[in-house]
Amino acid sequence: MELVMPISAKENLKKNMKAFSEKSKRFPGLLWRTVWRVGRDDPRRVVHALKVGLSLTLVSLLYLLEPLFKGIGQNAIWAVMTVVVVLEFTAGATLCKGLNRGLGTLLAGSLAFLTGYIAEKTGLVFRAVFIGAAVFVIGTATTYMRFFPYIKRNYDYGVLIFLLTFNLITVSSYRVSNVLKIAHERFYTIAIGCGVCLVMTLFIFPIWSGEDLHNSTVIKLEGLAKSIEACVNEYFNDVEKEKTQDKSPEDPIYKGYKAVLDSKSQDETLALHASWEPRHSRHCRYPWQQYVKLGAVLRHFGYTVVALHGCLQSEIQTPQHCRVLFKDPCIRVTNELSKALMELANSIRNRRHCSPEILSDNLHEALQDLNNALKSQPRLFLGSNNNQATNMLAVAAAHANSSQKREKYNGVSLPSFKTDNSALLEWKSKRMNNEHSRSEAAERKVLRPQLSKIAITSLEFSEALPFAAFASLLVETVARLDNIIEEVEELGRIACFKEFKPGDEVIVNFKTQKVNVTLNHFSSQGGE
C-alpha cells in the first residue's frame, strides 16, 4: 500500500504536466485567434489603439526632449496621465472627459489660488485652520453635488477632478510658497494632453458616438425582424426538436432580441456622449434622446418576441397535425411584419422618412386569413372534439401505467385514470391518510409531476392552448408595431429626415426568396 501511493502521485503529476504542456502549446494559437477576432469584429479598435499609442508618444516628448523638459519640468508627466485617462474610443466620450477635466482643473485652480491668497494674510495657526475648514466645506459640498442627477449624468468626472485638484493645491500650499507657479504648470500640461486627445479624436479617423447610436438602432430593428421570422419558421418546421433550458448564444432567435434587451445602458451612454459632439446637421439639433425613447419602445416590443420564443420551449406542445392548419397564415403575418421592421430599419439607415405604405393590405389580409383559420376550427379551441380528447387521455393513462410498473418495487399504485377530477380527489385522500409514512413521502416526489401532467392533459382543449398562446403573441407583435412606427416617424420629423421617394426600395433576403419591401397602401379599414 505504501508503494501504491507514490506511484499514483507520480502518475497524476505526469498527467498534469502533460496537460499543462499541451495547453502551453495551444496558447499562442489561441491568443492569436483572440487578437484576430477582436480586430475583425470591429477594425476601429485597431485604429483606436494606434491613436492612443501615437498620442502617448507625442506627450512623452515633453519629458524626453531636453528643451521641452526645461520649460515644463516634472509636471510634464501630467500630460501623459491626461492622455491615458481622457482619450476614449469615441469622440463624444473623449470630448466629455476632456472638457470635464479641463473645466474642473481650471475652476479648482482658481478657487485654490483664492483660498491660498486669503490664508496668506493671516497667521500661521489660523492659516492651517482656514485651509482645513476650506477643505471640509468644499469637499462636503462637492461630494453632495455629485448626487444631483443632472450633474452626475453630465459632469461627474469634472466634479471629481475639481475635488482632487483643489485638495492637492490647497493642502500643498501650506508647505510650498510658490503655489501659483505649480498650478499654472499643471494646468498647461493638462491642457496640452487634452489638446492632443482632441486632435486625435476629432481629426484622425474620428469615431462618433452618434453614428454608433444610429447604427445600433438599425441593427436592433433588423435583429427583431430576423428573430420573429426564425422563431415562427422553427415553430412550424422543427416540431420534434429537443427542448433546452438554457438559451444558446448561437441561437439566431436569441441573438436577435438579446441586443435589444441589453441596450438600455448602452443607448443612454451613447446619447450622452453624442450630445457633446459637433452636430451632424446644420439645419437641426440632432435628437439623440429620441433614439433612447425609440430604444425603450423596441425593448417593449422585444419582450413579446421573448415570450414568442418561449413557446418553443413549452412543456406542452400542440401536435404537428394541428399546427399545419395554421402554418400558412402565420407565415404570411410574419413575413409582412418582418418587411415592415426592415423598412423602418432602412429608413433610419438612409435618414429618410418611412414609406407611407409601410402598413399594407397584405398585412391586413394575412391577419384576416389567420382569423378565418382560427374560426374554422371551433372544436379545437372550444373543447368539443371528444375523440381527440379521448386519445389524449388514453396516452396519459398509458404513460401513468408505465410509471406504475417502474415504481412497482416500492409498492406504488396509481389510481385508475378518469376523465373528471375524481382521480385527483382519490389521490389527495390517499396522500392525507398516509402522509406520515416515510415511503409515501419518497413516492410523492415521483407522483406529483406525473399527476400534474395528467390533470393538465385531462382538459379537452389542452392541445390547442399552446398554439393559442403562440397566435395571440404573434398578433400582439403586430399591434405593438404601431408604437415603433410612431417613434420612428417622430425621429424623422425632429431630425429632418429627407422625404420618401417612390424609387426608394429595399430588397430583403428571406430564406425562400427576395421580397420587395415597397408595400401596398394600408387601407383605413385595415389600419383600424
Side-chain angles (χ1 to χ4, degrees):
M1 187 65 181
E2 297 179 356
L3 296 176
V4 174
M5 295 300 294
I7 294 176
S8 178
K10 289 181 180 179
E11 291 179 353
N12 292 334
L13 181 60
K14 289 180 180 180
K15 290 180 180 179
N16 293 335
M17 293 296 294
K18 185 177 180 180
F20 179 76
S21 177
E22 292 177 354
K23 290 181 179 180
S24 301
K25 293 178 181 178
R26 292 196 302 265
F27 179 75
L30 179 63
L31 178 62
W32 170 248
R33 286 193 297 270
T34 303
V35 172
W36 178 261
R37 184 178 66 254
V38 170
R40 182 190 59 191
D41 292 343
D42 192 350
R44 298 179 304 172
R45 296 169 179 170
V46 179
V47 176
H48 175 68
L50 294 174
K51 287 162 61 175
V52 172
L54 180 59
S55 300
L56 289 173
T57 302
L58 292 176
V59 295
S60 297
L61 296 178
L62 299 175
Y63 220 83
L64 299 176
L65 297 179
E66 192 66 24
L68 296 177
F69 180 76
K70 289 181 178 180
I72 297 178
Q74 296 288 341
N75 289 301
I77 199 65
W78 285 84
V80 178
M81 295 173 59
T82 301
V83 170
V84 172
V85 174
V86 170
L87 190 53
E88 294 287 341
F89 183 70
T90 62
T94 302
L95 285 167
C96 180
K97 271 198 167 183
L99 296 178
N100 267 275
R101 187 176 180 85
L103 184 62
T105 302
L106 180 62
L107 293 177
S110 301
L111 185 60
F113 174 74
L114 179 61
T115 303
Y117 179 78
I118 296 175
E120 286 181 357
K121 303 300 181 181
T122 62
L124 188 63
V125 176
F126 184 80
R127 182 182 178 187
V129 174
F130 182 80
I131 290 176
V135 169
F136 173 78
V137 172
I138 298 298
T140 303
T142 304
T143 303
Y144 189 75
M145 287 176 61
R146 295 182 65 190
F147 293 107
F148 295 177
Y150 180 79
I151 293 178
K152 186 173 185 63
R153 184 173 60 252
N154 294 279
Y155 303 105
D156 186 67
Y157 182 70
V159 173
L160 184 64
I161 293 298
F162 169 84
L163 184 60
L164 175 64
T165 305
F166 175 80
N167 281 274
L168 288 176
I169 296 177
T170 303
V171 174
S172 62
S173 66
Y174 186 75
R175 300 293 181 182
V176 180
S177 58
N178 197 358
V179 180
L180 183 61
K181 181 180 178 182
I182 297 176
H184 283 175
E185 289 179 349
R186 290 186 179 180
F187 179 76
Y188 293 151
T189 53
I190 291 174
I192 292 172
C194 289
V196 171
C197 293
L198 294 179
V199 170
M200 285 292 176
T201 194
L202 293 177
F203 301 104
I204 301 179
F205 299 107
I207 302 171
W208 305 104
S209 297
E211 287 295 328
D212 281 357
L213 180 59
H214 180 88
N215 294 332
S216 68
T217 304
V218 175
I219 292 173
K220 285 186 286 188
L221 281 165
E222 293 176 342
L224 288 173
K226 294 176 182 177
S227 289
I228 295 173
E229 184 192 1
C231 186
V232 174
N233 288 334
E234 182 176 338
Y235 186 79
F236 287 103
N237 297 334
D238 198 12
V239 180
E240 302 299 331
K241 182 177 179 180
E242 294 183 358
K243 295 185 290 290
T244 56
Q245 296 297 328
D246 298 329
K247 298 181 180 70
S248 173
E250 301 301 326
D251 187 354
I253 305 174
Y254 179 64
K255 289 174 63 178
Y257 65 72
K258 181 179 182 296
V260 178
L261 301 182
D262 297 343
S263 64
K264 184 177 186 297
S265 177
Q266 180 186 12
D267 288 351
E268 293 176 350
T269 302
L270 289 175
L272 171 63
H273 293 161
S275 64
W276 289 82
E277 294 176 350
R279 301 301 172 193
H280 291 253
S281 174
R282 299 178 181 178
H283 308 290
C284 66
R285 178 184 175 88
Y286 225 71
W288 302 119
Q289 289 303 318
Q290 183 63 27
Y291 280 93
V292 178
K293 291 178 61 179
L294 177 57
V297 174
L298 290 178
R299 283 191 297 276
H300 191 250
F301 183 88
Y303 298 144
T304 309
V305 182
V306 175
L308 202 66
H309 189 200
C311 291
L312 303 179
Q313 313 293 333
S314 177
E315 289 289 338
I316 302 175
Q317 292 289 345
T318 302
Q320 184 176 7
H321 67 272
C322 295
R323 301 191 197 191
V324 173
L325 299 174
F326 312 100
K327 178 178 179 180
D328 291 339
C330 286
I331 294 294
R332 284 192 60 193
V333 171
T334 302
N335 287 342
E336 296 301 325
L337 182 61
S338 297
K339 292 178 192 177
L341 290 173
M342 295 299 291
E343 164 61 19
L344 292 172
N346 185 69
S347 67
I348 296 177
R349 177 188 289 111
N350 297 325
R351 291 183 170 86
R352 63 163 174 81
H353 287 283
C354 305
S355 168
E357 302 174 351
I358 187 171
L359 293 178
S360 67
D361 288 334
N362 295 333
L363 180 57
H364 181 246
E365 292 173 359
L367 290 172
Q368 288 294 335
D369 290 345
L370 179 58
N371 184 52
N372 294 334
L374 294 174
K375 287 182 178 179
S376 67
Q377 302 294 330
R379 294 182 178 181
L380 182 64
F381 294 96
L382 296 178
S384 59
N385 192 344
N386 294 327
N387 294 331
Q388 192 176 61
T390 303
N391 293 336
M392 291 171 52
L393 297 178
V395 172
H399 192 59
N401 290 333
S402 63
S403 298
Q404 178 183 4
K405 293 179 179 179
R406 286 195 301 267
E407 301 296 333
K408 187 174 181 180
Y409 68 94
N410 281 333
V412 181
S413 62
L414 282 171
S416 59
F417 193 85
K418 302 178 181 180
T419 57
D420 54 11
N421 293 329
S422 60
L424 289 177
L425 294 175
E426 292 177 9
W427 179 78
K428 287 182 179 179
S429 62
K430 180 179 179 180
R431 185 185 64 176
M432 293 178 63
N433 294 332
N434 301 283
E435 61 182 357
H436 298 293
S437 174
R438 181 177 301 179
S439 61
E440 288 294 328
E443 291 158 8
R444 275 200 300 274
K445 296 180 180 180
V446 179
L447 290 177
R448 187 180 295 113
Q450 180 60 48
L451 290 172
S452 299
K453 292 184 179 180
I454 292 174
I456 295 172
T457 54
S458 66
L459 302 175
E460 293 183 351
F461 53 88
S462 62
E463 285 187 345
L465 283 177
F467 177 77
F470 184 84
S472 64
L473 289 170
L474 185 60
V475 175
E476 178 68 16
T477 57
V478 178
R480 295 190 181 188
L481 181 63
D482 288 339
N483 298 330
I484 300 178
I485 295 175
E486 291 177 1
E487 293 298 331
V488 173
E489 289 177 345
E490 180 68 13
L491 173 63
R493 185 186 64 79
I494 300 176
C496 302
F497 283 178
K498 61 184 179 182
E499 294 297 328
F500 175 82
K501 297 180 181 179
D504 295 335
E505 297 178 349
V506 187
I507 303 298
V508 182
N509 290 320
F510 289 100
K511 293 182 179 180
T512 56
Q513 59 181 352
K514 289 186 177 181
V515 184
N516 194 321
V517 179
T518 301
L519 306 174
N520 297 325
H521 181 63
F522 184 47
S523 61
S524 58
Q525 294 85 359
E528 296 172 358

